[in-house]
Amino acid sequence: YTPPAKRRDFSTLVGPATSLAPEREHFRSDAADAADDTARSNRLLHTASRTVAEEDPITSRVQDVQHLRRLKEMGLQPTWPEAQKASQQSELQVGNAARLKTDPENMLLDSHGRHHTYLRISLTERCNLRCTYCMPPEGIDLQPEEKLLTTDEIVRLAGLFVEAGVTKIRLTGGEPTVRRDFQEVVGRVGGLPGLEQLALTTNGIILDRHLPSLASAGLAAVNISLDTLLPHRFELLTRRKGLHRVLHSIDAALEAGIPTVKVNCVVTRGVNEDELLDFVEMTRDKPINVRFIEYMPFDGNAWSSPKMVSYAEMKSTIEDRYGPMSRLQDPMTEVAKNFRPEGHAGSVSFITSMTEHFCSGCNRLRLLADGNLKVCLFGANEVSLRDALRGGASDAELRTIGKEEARAKRKQLNRDIDVLFPRMGGLNDLFAVELKKLPVA
């Protein structure tokens, strides 16, 4: 451990007036120095943030965070917002490397200081619904099964990502529950040493039959995609019947004791924006989180900007009915803005994909069903881990591929991006999206 005061650039970044004696590794605790120490700790937090932005070595970040934690243990909390943000960002970047004994050289860190701790794994390209905004009328070409990852391959790759600091894995699709060995995958991935949270995104059609095994495997969160509460509209949107089965799955997940149950609703003007308040009403007596997602453009879904209902408009509509909602504290990596209507057991969130991007805190990677790794949801670049794995690559070689892909991740989404229509997976789980001259928020 090296205190920031001993760093070669400390006096340059903080200034000579705040330099500490080299031998001093803690702050004095007497009342006379308390105010001075608090001010100094705030400046050190700011220094840590600036250093993280300017230097690349992981070691310096670990040292900064160790120092920040010592300050907190001594009761010297940051008193200004920028210092608090610096503290959170430094903690985020270091992640859980020390706790999981992750080799800093293998951490999935990009060139902008984002530490990737969240992996989404697509188990299949298949789905038992045909949602209009996801599936083009002519359908899509599915890859032959031999080109998709086997269960053993999924577990091996997932284990390597966990060893590199991933703490959360979400199983997605297509529709993951239609995979024949779905329960085996859940059990084996959920049992990986070091994995803290296993989550699932599903349309809920056949979720209820899997809930006992999911609960025993330690499933911590389930997101259920549902865009309407009206049976006839559900059939129009999904080209299938089954609303009652989805609603039953929501209740069954709560009864099974799944800790976090969320409902993902893509809001489209002229389609379902008239149901906003009905979805909010679901949270009155049930501890669920309803997430309203801004409609997004991509080839194949007949995009037109009037279809998008903005976060601001949705929030205004809800508060006109329920009054001001309390803003919940969002983690640094949260993609949603979270609120709780007064007196409700559940909560309401907004995913502002179009009006307010959330690239700065992105900690996500995506492993597609065919073994391709994507480091950005909206990026066109992919690298095949399947080919490397089947070509005899060692664990070390696979780690290197993942690390280098993460390092090359862009800082944020550009305004003009050319991407491909998603091969499968729905708006909540796009594999590759190509946006056409995105409107600027």
Side-chain angles (χ1 to χ4, degrees):
Y1 166 69
T2 304
K6 291 186 178 181
R7 297 174 60 120
R8 64 183 184 278
D9 57 352
F10 181 80
S11 60
T12 301
L13 292 172
V14 183
T18 58
S19 297
L20 304 178
E23 68 278 2
R24 185 183 182 192
E25 295 189 0
H26 61 85
F27 289 100
R28 290 169 294 176
S29 58
D30 55 283
D33 290 333
D36 177 62
D37 286 345
T38 300
R40 184 179 289 112
S41 69
N42 287 331
R43 285 191 287 270
L44 288 172
L45 290 172
H46 184 50
T47 299
S49 177
R50 291 175 57 188
T51 301
V52 166
E54 296 170 3
E55 295 188 3
D56 183 63
I58 300 296
T59 303
S60 66
R61 299 173 192 179
V62 174
Q63 292 173 348
D64 283 334
V65 170
Q66 289 174 335
H67 191 71
L68 296 176
R69 288 172 177 165
R70 291 189 64 187
L71 295 179
K72 291 179 180 180
E73 291 172 359
M74 298 173 66
L76 298 175
Q77 299 296 332
T79 57
W80 40 286
E82 188 174 1
Q84 293 174 331
K85 184 177 181 180
S87 175
Q88 291 178 333
Q89 185 67 34
S90 296
E91 292 274 4
L92 171 65
Q93 290 166 338
V94 172
N96 63 350
R99 179 160 41 83
L100 292 181
K101 296 182 173 58
T102 302
D103 184 348
E105 291 300 318
N106 290 330
M107 289 174 62
L108 299 167
L109 191 76
D110 66 23
S111 60
H112 307 288
R114 294 171 297 197
H115 180 206
H116 296 80
T117 60
Y118 183 1
L119 176 67
R120 301 170 71 91
I121 303 177
S122 171
L123 300 185
T124 179
E125 296 180 339
R126 299 183 180 275
C127 186
N128 48 5
L129 296 180
R130 296 292 182 269
C131 298
T132 55
Y133 58 71
C134 168
M135 180 77 70
E138 66 274 15
I140 63 171
D141 295 325
L142 298 176
Q143 298 192 72
E145 188 169 349
E146 61 268 19
K147 290 192 175 182
L148 305 182
L149 292 176
T150 67
T151 299
D152 287 342
E153 290 170 337
I154 290 173
V155 174
R156 179 182 173 188
L157 291 174
L160 293 176
F161 278 103
V162 172
E163 290 174 5
V166 165
T167 58
K168 177 179 178 180
I169 290 179
R170 178 175 295 277
L171 303 178
T172 71
E175 172 50 41
T177 59
V178 303
R179 182 173 169 125
R180 288 193 298 271
D181 58 353
F182 170 67
Q183 293 190 14
E184 179 186 355
V185 175
V186 170
R188 293 179 64 183
V189 172
L192 290 172
L195 182 65
E196 296 181 1
Q197 187 178 43
L198 180 65
L200 172 72
T201 293
T202 173
N203 60 33
I205 292 292
I206 59 174
L207 174 64
D208 58 341
R209 70 179 67 168
H210 294 290
L211 281 170
S213 62
L214 292 175
S216 62
L219 185 73
V222 59
N223 289 15
I224 299 175
S225 302
L226 179 64
D227 299 325
T228 180
L229 300 174
L230 303 176
H232 70 280
R233 186 175 285 176
F234 181 90
E235 188 171 350
L236 286 173
L237 291 175
T238 67
R239 303 188 182 107
R240 297 288 188 273
K241 295 182 179 181
L243 174 62
H244 65 287
R245 300 174 70 176
V246 180
L247 295 175
H248 172 69
S249 288
I250 294 173
D251 291 334
L254 293 171
E255 293 172 2
I258 304 299
T260 301
V261 178
K262 299 181 180 181
V263 174
N264 290 347
C265 176
V266 178
V267 181
T268 310
R269 194 179 307 280
V271 177
N272 64 347
E273 85 277 18
D274 58 332
E275 296 187 64
L276 275 173
L277 301 181
D278 295 329
F279 274 97
V280 174
E281 197 61 28
M282 293 177 67
T283 71
R284 181 179 294 278
D285 301 316
K286 297 178 181 179
I288 63 174
N289 172 231
V290 173
R291 308 201 306 171
F292 296 114
I293 304 171
E294 292 178 338
Y295 177 82
M296 298 169 60
F298 57 90
D299 289 349
N301 71 350
W303 163 257
S304 64
S305 58
K307 289 185 178 182
M308 189 196 64
V309 183
S310 70
Y311 149 62
E313 182 180 345
M314 289 188 282
K315 182 173 180 288
S316 176
T317 298
I318 294 171
E319 292 189 326
D320 284 346
R321 169 70 176 275
Y322 293 96
M325 296 184 290
S326 301
R327 181 68 185 266
L328 304 180
Q329 186 173 1
D330 301 331
M332 287 286 295
T333 56
E334 178 62 85
V335 300
K337 294 174 173 60
N338 301 296
F339 298 83
R340 188 182 305 281
E342 185 175 357
H344 284 220
S347 58
V348 171
S349 302
F350 304 91
I351 298 182
T352 59
S353 311
M354 294 301 299
T355 58
E356 298 180 26
H357 75 74
F358 29 78
C359 301
S360 62
C362 182
N363 68 333
R364 304 175 179 216
L365 302 171
R366 183 180 302 269
L367 182 62
L368 308 188
D370 61 2
N372 279 9
L373 176 66
K374 289 179 66 70
V375 297
C376 177
L377 171 65
F378 297 103
N381 295 333
E382 302 176 3
V383 62
S384 178
L385 296 181
R386 178 204 63 200
D387 290 349
L389 190 155
R390 294 180 182 178
S394 65
D395 287 354
E397 290 169 331
L398 292 170
R399 290 191 192 98
T400 297
I401 296 173
K403 183 180 69 172
E404 293 304 316
E405 285 298 302
R407 182 173 291 277
K409 186 172 182 177
R410 291 178 304 180
K411 183 177 182 180
Q412 65 184 48
L413 175 67
N414 294 327
R415 294 182 183 180
D416 300 310
I417 303 179
D418 294 318
V419 237
L420 303 174
F421 175 78
R423 290 175 285 167
M424 189 63 179
L427 191 57
N428 298 328
D429 241 81
L430 300 178
F431 289 140
V433 178
E434 212 156 85
L435 308 180
K436 302 295 186 181
K437 292 188 180 295
L438 291 179
V440 180

